[in-house]
Amino acid sequence: IGMVLGPAVSPPSAPPAQTITLTVTETETVMVEEAAKEYLIGLAIAVSGGYSVDGPRRRNAAILAIDEMNMLLENSGSPVRFNWIHEDTKSTAEGAIAAVPKLAAAGVQIIVGPLATSETKAIMDFVNSRKIVAISPSSTGTAARVKDDFVFRMAPPDVYQAPAIARIAWEVGIRNLVILARNDDYGKGLADGVEETFKNLGGNVVNLLYDYTQPDLSADVERASTAVANFGEPDKTGVLVIGFDETVKIYDRARLDPVLSEVRWFGNDAVKRPTFLPPDAKEEIAEFQLTVKLIGTAPARGPEDNPVVKRFIENYVDRFGEKPSLYSYYSYDAAMVAMLTVLSAGVYSGEVFKQILP
């Protein structure tokens, strides 16, 4: 047996001992409250002149939307709130030109309004140059449709309403149409569109304009009566009135005219307003509309049994004591779209809003 002796192999040396010190501290969570942020929504909505009856209803709908949005923001803990500033555009282009710069001077970057096509067209140069967004609840006329502008519209344009009116009249047997339209951008644009389509269908048209600022429209009603009589075919002749609240005066005079009372009548979307029915209008005016089998066109809204529509109606009635008119729905939506745009943008800038809106 042999034994071999060699150098001893020692194990690796252990690392030097380390001292670890643990420090335990008490932490406290501090809630930092975000600073409140308030954004302005301008309301360039007429409450006098031609919109003296329906304008307040549309303004109220926008205010209701703002109040409801603020409640939602508060309940969610958001520091954001919306406030509104209203300027009466007085239903005229001149009134709109005076109103919108006042909103701009207050720092407004997004506006609900104006209502009429003539008003909307009048403020386009100003909002485009100042990069302020305007969302009209009810401007439908083609005169205020310009590519890549700062004006947006909630209601469908008259490029759809005009052919619809013409085709409805044609389909019920009308071959001669007397148009009595208010002399502004909206009235002329819609009347021309109806005339073009109706003539293309093979019909005859007399296109008359009236001065809606006049207190008495009897002479204009007489012109329409003469035009109807000249056709000599009462069973194939119809009358189309394109107007706003002043149309009540036309109905009131026409109901006394035997020539106009025996032909079919048609109307634009304004005939959906409560203005034309009791208690706002006389019983005789409502009876006249039944006698002439009045047909009108109007933009669509959701049915009243729709939960969203139902809630809007209930909230509106509770707040203002009456049911909303047709364009009140569009005014409410315009205000909601304006606020959602601001919230999406994260900054208060009309130039940014324009890029967000479709």
Side-chain angles (χ1 to χ4, degrees):
I1 301 172
M3 180 180 292
V4 178
L5 298 177
V9 180
S10 56
S13 60
Q18 295 180 348
T19 301
I20 300 174
T21 304
L22 299 177
T23 303
V24 179
T25 60
E26 293 185 2
T27 60
E28 181 180 352
T29 301
V30 179
M31 300 297 292
V32 178
E33 187 173 321
E34 289 187 72
K37 299 177 183 177
E38 183 177 273
Y39 297 119
L40 290 174
I41 302 294
L43 304 180
I45 296 178
V47 293
S48 60
Y51 285 107
S52 60
V53 176
D54 206 56
R57 296 177 176 128
R58 304 185 197 187
R59 177 201 57 196
N60 290 345
I63 292 172
L64 178 63
I66 293 168
D67 289 347
E68 289 184 359
M69 177 63 82
N70 282 335
M71 184 171 61
L72 290 172
L73 292 168
E74 181 179 358
N75 291 341
S76 69
S78 170
V80 175
R81 296 293 183 273
F82 289 96
N83 199 359
W84 55 270
I85 302 175
H86 173 252
E87 289 291 341
D88 181 10
T89 61
K90 301 180 181 179
S91 305
T92 65
E94 295 77 15
I97 291 172
V100 170
K102 293 178 183 178
L103 296 175
V108 170
Q109 286 286 296
I110 191 162
I111 294 170
V112 175
L115 302 181
T117 297
S118 57
E119 297 175 304
T120 304
K121 180 183 176 183
I123 59 105
M124 290 182 74
D125 286 344
F126 182 87
V127 296
N128 287 338
S129 64
R130 302 303 196 282
K131 295 181 170 56
I132 298 172
V133 164
I135 305 175
S136 174
S138 51
S139 172
T140 59
T142 56
R145 294 175 68 235
V146 177
K147 186 177 180 180
D148 199 34
D149 61 352
F150 277 75
V151 179
F152 297 81
R153 301 150 194 83
M154 296 301 299
D158 287 340
V159 292
Y160 302 111
Q161 183 176 198
I165 294 174
R167 290 192 176 97
I168 288 170
W170 184 266
E171 288 174 5
V172 298
I174 301 302
R175 297 297 180 263
N176 311 304
L177 188 63
V178 176
I179 302 175
L180 189 58
R182 58 185 282 132
N183 190 6
D184 65 4
D185 290 322
Y186 168 74
K188 289 185 289 186
L190 183 54
D192 290 345
V194 172
E195 179 178 5
E196 179 181 2
T197 301
F198 197 76
K199 284 184 174 179
N200 288 340
L201 291 171
N204 305 303
V205 177
V206 173
N207 196 340
L208 306 173
L209 298 174
Y210 67 88
D211 183 354
Y212 59 91
T213 65
Q214 295 301 311
D216 185 1
L217 300 177
S218 297
D220 300 292
V221 174
E222 290 177 8
R223 286 194 295 147
S225 179
T226 299
V228 169
N230 287 341
F231 279 125
E233 297 178 306
D235 57 328
K236 295 182 180 180
T237 302
V239 175
L240 165 64
V241 177
I242 300 173
F244 296 152
D245 289 344
E246 76 280 352
T247 304
V248 169
K249 293 187 286 188
I250 294 174
Y251 289 169
D252 198 25
R253 179 66 184 84
R255 68 184 178 84
L256 304 175
D257 187 304
V259 173
L260 295 176
S261 297
E262 66 174 350
V263 297
R264 191 74 181 262
W265 281 57
F266 304 87
N268 60 316
D269 48 19
V271 298
K272 285 280 289 184
R273 299 181 188 179
T275 309
F276 300 94
L277 297 173
D280 291 354
K282 296 188 294 188
E283 291 282 350
E284 293 84 355
I285 291 176
E287 292 171 0
F288 171 73
Q289 294 175 70
L290 290 173
T291 299
V292 298
K293 300 178 181 178
L294 176 69
I295 297 178
T297 55
R301 63 166 177 78
E304 291 193 7
D305 59 355
N306 178 297
V308 176
V309 175
K310 185 177 180 181
R311 190 196 72 216
F312 167 67
I313 295 173
E314 290 173 351
N315 292 345
Y316 190 97
V317 172
D318 288 344
R319 177 77 178 272
F320 304 111
E322 63 175 352
K323 292 186 71 172
S325 60
L326 174 64
Y327 277 110
S328 296
Y329 294 82
Y330 286 85
S331 186
Y332 177 92
D333 286 350
M336 279 294 183
V337 167
M339 292 182 289
L340 291 171
T341 301
V342 174
L343 293 173
S344 299
V347 294
Y348 192 66
S349 164
E351 194 167 9
V352 175
F353 301 156
K354 178 179 181 291
Q355 301 306 316
I356 293 174
L357 285 164

